[in-house]
Amino acid sequence: MDLKKATAMKKDPQRNLDEDVNPQTTQKIRDHFVKSGERNQGTALMAGKPILHYFNSRGRMESIRWLLAAAGVEFEEKCIKTQKDLEKLKNDGVLMFQQVPMVEMDGMKLVQTRAILNYIASKYDLYGKDMKERVLIDMYAEGTADMNEMIVRYPFLPSGEKETSLAQIKEKARNCYFPAFEKVLKSHGQDYLVGNRLSRADIHLVELVYHVEELDSCIMISFPLLQALRTRISNLPTVKKFLQPGSQRKPFEDEKYVEELKKSFCTAAQKLYCRELTMRSLREWTQARDKLVSADPPSRNRYRCPVLIR
Ligand SMILES: N[C@@H](CCC(=O)N[C@@H](CS)C(=O)NCC(=O)O)C(=O)O
């Protein structure tokens, strides 16, 4: 174990794990810090924690929260509470495509969920040991992302569409995605999906399992190996902590939660819309009045502004 390197990292906060070419060395150093009770060696020693910019909901940010938490990385969240907050971020020019998730990390402002996840996985050695492992991890991660996309949308659907969507989610999980992952685990008999060691694929899959179970509590009965994986991953100290109440994990967006979220956004959006309407009607009224007044100047006093009256 390279204690010299570990000590150098501790002394130099800017030093990061991704400078270590050999993942085994990285793992050893990580183990060293874990053993010595100094978790989050890559971040706690760095200048700042990653800052996550998103709504107060799971959405597309939840996988990022899971991955950071599993890697033992502490992070901060700047919650977008209103349309105004979102507009401000957009106007500040920090959202490359005018969208969130956005993560401030290592001096960068990262957008696009997949790119962010790739970066975190690479940095914290959760992305396999070679190209072949990596492509498997990508395949599995993309599969879970497709399934997750349906789940992310589900709480925000109009009530008339929810039932169909829920049935689709259950059907896909039960007959396509979960059997596929069960088969992978059965094929090699190992503890993790790829390369017999923890990768982002395991974290994404277990996150998905938790989310699907919230929608269908019996679904796991037919998938014993997935259940075992879930238990294994849930018992990792970092994940265990994240699963406990009071962590940064976001709750399932039930109807009440969605209503609250919509209210804070609709109110701000409506205000903006109303202001625009008001300004437009004011402009139109002024133009009409000016036309009348130019034909009959003394009539100016007869026209009072309807917007101001209102
Ligand atoms: N491909 C992007 C999609 C991002 C996206 O659709 N973000 C939504 C929130 S989940 C957003 O920013 N919506 C606000 C807007 O477009 O004004 C990603 O994966 O990050």
Side-chain angles (χ1 to χ4, degrees):
M1 125 122 257
D2 194 349
L3 270 176
K4 227 178 182 178
K5 199 175 260 179
T7 315
M9 277 174 64
K10 196 176 168 188
K11 275 190 188 150
D12 178 3
Q14 298 306 319
R15 174 78 191 279
N16 209 344
L17 279 180
D18 51 6
E19 289 170 18
D20 297 298
V21 182
N22 182 352
Q24 280 174 344
T25 312
T26 304
Q27 189 59 47
K28 281 182 186 167
I29 293 173
R30 175 172 293 144
D31 292 345
H32 165 75
F33 279 94
V34 172
K35 278 189 199 132
S36 60
E38 295 180 51
R39 291 211 55 80
N40 310 333
Q41 74 287 0
T43 46
L45 296 176
M46 285 180 61
K49 298 174 188 173
I51 302 173
L52 279 46
H53 296 262
Y54 200 67
F55 316 105
N56 182 26
S57 70
R58 286 182 179 173
R60 293 178 204 278
M61 190 62 102
E62 193 66 358
S63 305
I64 297 173
R65 295 186 187 103
W66 265 83
L67 196 59
L68 284 170
V73 180
E74 288 180 10
F75 55 89
E76 286 172 18
E77 300 210 52
K78 287 215 173 133
C79 181
I80 302 168
K81 292 198 184 98
T82 62
Q83 187 70 22
K84 211 169 153 189
D85 292 345
L86 183 60
E87 292 306 322
K88 184 174 180 327
L89 272 180
K90 289 184 182 184
N91 293 335
D92 288 348
V94 293
L95 305 178
M96 185 175 180
F97 302 115
Q98 307 291 300
Q99 287 179 322
V100 284
M102 192 271 273
V103 175
E104 286 185 71
M105 192 170 176
D106 300 341
M108 297 179 284
K109 290 185 171 56
L110 304 173
V111 293
Q112 290 293 348
T113 316
R114 285 181 170 95
I116 298 169
L117 291 169
N118 293 348
Y119 181 71
I120 296 166
S122 306
K123 178 168 176 175
Y124 295 102
D125 195 20
L126 293 165
Y127 218 164
K129 67 170 184 338
D130 55 30
M131 279 169 67
K132 286 195 169 173
E133 283 193 0
R134 197 175 164 129
V135 75
L136 287 180
I137 292 169
D138 281 338
M139 272 166 52
Y140 303 164
E142 289 300 317
T144 52
D146 285 350
M147 179 81 229
N148 206 35
E149 186 73 23
M150 297 167 76
I151 296 176
V152 163
R153 286 170 192 269
Y154 169 73
F156 300 95
L157 291 175
S159 51
E161 291 174 31
K162 282 185 103 165
E163 208 179 313
T164 317
S165 168
L166 183 61
Q168 273 172 357
I169 291 171
K170 288 182 186 181
E171 197 276 324
K172 283 277 179 202
R174 196 179 291 274
N175 300 321
C176 174
Y177 290 94
F178 286 0
F181 286 115
E182 184 81 6
K183 199 170 156 191
V184 169
L185 289 167
K186 197 170 177 187
S187 71
H188 56 43
Q190 295 168 349
D191 282 352
Y192 300 101
L193 282 168
V194 180
N196 207 17
R197 66 184 199 135
L198 181 70
S199 76
R200 60 178 289 203
D202 304 298
I203 310 296
H204 297 329
L205 179 57
V206 170
E207 178 196 349
L208 180 69
V209 166
Y210 272 102
H211 291 175
V212 174
E213 255 196 328
E214 286 170 340
L215 302 172
D216 183 350
S217 57
C218 303
I219 197 155
M220 294 309 289
I221 290 170
S222 333
F223 306 104
L225 299 179
L226 272 185
Q227 282 184 49
L229 181 76
R230 186 203 27 208
T231 307
R232 198 171 300 121
I233 301 298
S234 303
N235 281 328
L236 294 173
T238 51
V239 177
K240 203 171 192 169
K241 194 171 160 200
F242 189 59
L243 289 170
Q244 275 162 13
S247 79
Q248 284 160 299
R249 193 159 78 108
K250 299 290 175 208
F252 175 70
E253 294 109 336
D254 59 17
E255 274 169 31
K256 194 171 156 238
Y257 195 87
V258 172
E259 269 321 299
E260 286 300 310
L261 210 64
K262 274 186 184 162
K263 222 163 35 184
S264 43
F265 274 83
C266 287
T267 315
Q270 274 164 358
K271 270 187 204 154
L272 260 178
Y273 182 64
C274 287
R275 210 184 68 201
E276 251 168 45
L277 272 186
T278 308
M279 293 313 288
R280 201 168 65 206
S281 46
L282 179 61
R283 240 186 343 265
E284 278 164 9
W285 177 85
T286 311
Q287 280 165 2
R289 183 209 56 189
D290 287 350
K291 229 182 228 176
L292 291 167
V293 171
S294 68
D296 177 17
S299 68
R300 168 171 281 277
N301 295 334
R302 291 209 299 272
Y303 301 110
R304 291 179 57 206
C305 175
V307 176
L308 297 181
I309 292 166
R310 203 166 13 124

